[in-house]
Amino acid sequence: MHVGIIGTGRLGSLLVRKLIEIGAVTADEITASSRNPEKLRSLEDLTGINVGDNKEVVIRSDVVILCLRPLDIRGVLEELKDVLTHEKLLISTAVDFPLEDLSSSTSAKVAKVVPSITSEHLRGVSLVAFGPMTTEMDMDMVMSIFGNISSPALADEEDFEVLADITSCGPGYIAAIMKEFARAAANRGVPREHAEWLIKETLAGTSDILSEEGLDELISSTATNGGITEEGLKVIREMTPAVFDRLFDTTKAKHLRLRTMVKNQALKKEDSSKKMAFRKQ
Ligand SMILES: NC(=O)c1ccc[n+]([C@@H]2O[C@H](COP(=O)([O-])OP(=O)(O)OC[C@H]3O[C@@H](n4cnc5c(N)ncnc54)[C@H](OP(=O)(O)O)[C@@H]3O)[C@@H](O)[C@H]2O)c1
């Protein structure tokens, strides 16, 4: 199997490194392209993969993974229309570019996979949804590839926004919350660096415990009745629901703006095709 990666930013380069590391493919079976020649060259030097332009990537690959921001996708699909043929599997990692638009823009079979930066440590969740033409073999292959670098979770495309807030944005949110924890400790005299180290160690231990027990179990084993943790938990239960409700509302609004921009690109393209056809008549 030959895998193509278009866009070698943060996610594209992570996927290249990890797919080779887990032995899903050899460096020789990967071809990557990027608008950014420097990023592409440093990944080529690091891993020994093949590099080329976007078309070459598609021509050489059975599976093409688009690691592009949503507003960069439509132009690339237009560029690749002739080479994205029906036997290729095209996977997009962008939450806000609909599967329907992917399949209506190419003849390829399509899927959406939204991985997480936690795949760096072969952990976390990749959200997965398949387009209508994908075969069982395609599905098995996707679940197996992403199953080696994460826990793949099949989901309805319409739920991706909320789910990706947890799985893909979550590591950033958790780090930001921990930073606030460290900041508050620093305000009470603990050196900032030391506070951050204490929190990171505690978080790593907490994550290990949570691999074996549930959230409620962990909460009750730290909070003895009438003790100090119980007092802290009251504050968390009072203050954080509003934070997370606001967070989901705010990211939903951003998703809506992005989707509208993606849709407007399609309308603009449709409009200019009509004008071209009219001029030809
Ligand atoms: N990072 C994550 O943890 C994560 C997790 C799940 C899903 N995602 C999704 O994955 C996608 C990529 O995310 P990212 O964080 O990797 O973004 P990124 O770091 O900005 O990488 C995107 C790369 O695509 C390149 N590119 C843009 N237009 C191109 C074109 N026409 N042809 C070839 N390459 C092109 C960009 O080049 P330039 O450097 O010149 O801009 C950049 O190197 C996004 O849709 C994101 O939402 C990301």
Side-chain angles (χ1 to χ4, degrees), residues 197-217:
W197 177 78
L198 292 172
I199 288 171
K200 280 169 65 177
E201 284 298 306
T202 307
L203 192 61
T206 306
S207 161
D208 286 346
I209 296 176
L210 286 174
S211 65
E212 286 167 5
E213 56 186 66
L215 295 170
D216 283 335
E217 224 178 322

Side-chain angles (χ1 to χ4, degrees), residues 4 16 24 35-36 67 75 96 105-106 116 138 140 144 159 165 179 186 201-202 209 222 224 228 230-231 234 256 269:
V16 167
R35 179 171 69 184
N36 187 317
C67 298
D96 290 304
S105 310
T106 76
S116 170
D138 295 327
D140 288 347
S144 151
D159 297 331
D165 249 351
K179 248 187 111 173
E201 284 298 306
T202 307
I209 296 176
T222 52
T224 37
I228 301 292
E230 194 65 60
E231 292 304 305
K234 280 183 200 159
L256 189 65
K269 192 179 145 268

Side-chain angles (χ1 to χ4, degrees), residues 37 60 77-78 144 164 189 214 236 248 265:
R60 283 168 170 233
L77 293 179
E78 183 63 21
S144 151
I236 287 174
F248 278 118
Q265 286 181 322

Side-chain angles (χ1 to χ4, degrees), residues 61-82:
S61 309
D62 308 299
V63 180
V64 178
I65 309 180
L66 293 183
C67 298
L68 300 171
R69 289 163 179 251
L71 294 174
D72 289 325
I73 294 179
R74 198 168 298 283
V76 171
L77 293 179
E78 183 63 21
E79 174 193 346
L80 300 175
K81 210 163 52 185
D82 299 337

Side-chain angles (χ1 to χ4, degrees), residues 6-11 34-36 39 54 67-70 72 76 93-94 114-115 117 168:
I6 297 185
T8 53
R10 272 163 304 182
L11 184 63
S34 183
R35 179 171 69 184
N36 187 317
K39 284 182 189 167
N54 293 347
C67 298
L68 300 171
R69 289 163 179 251
D72 289 325
V76 171
T93 57
V114 178
I117 205 96
S168 168

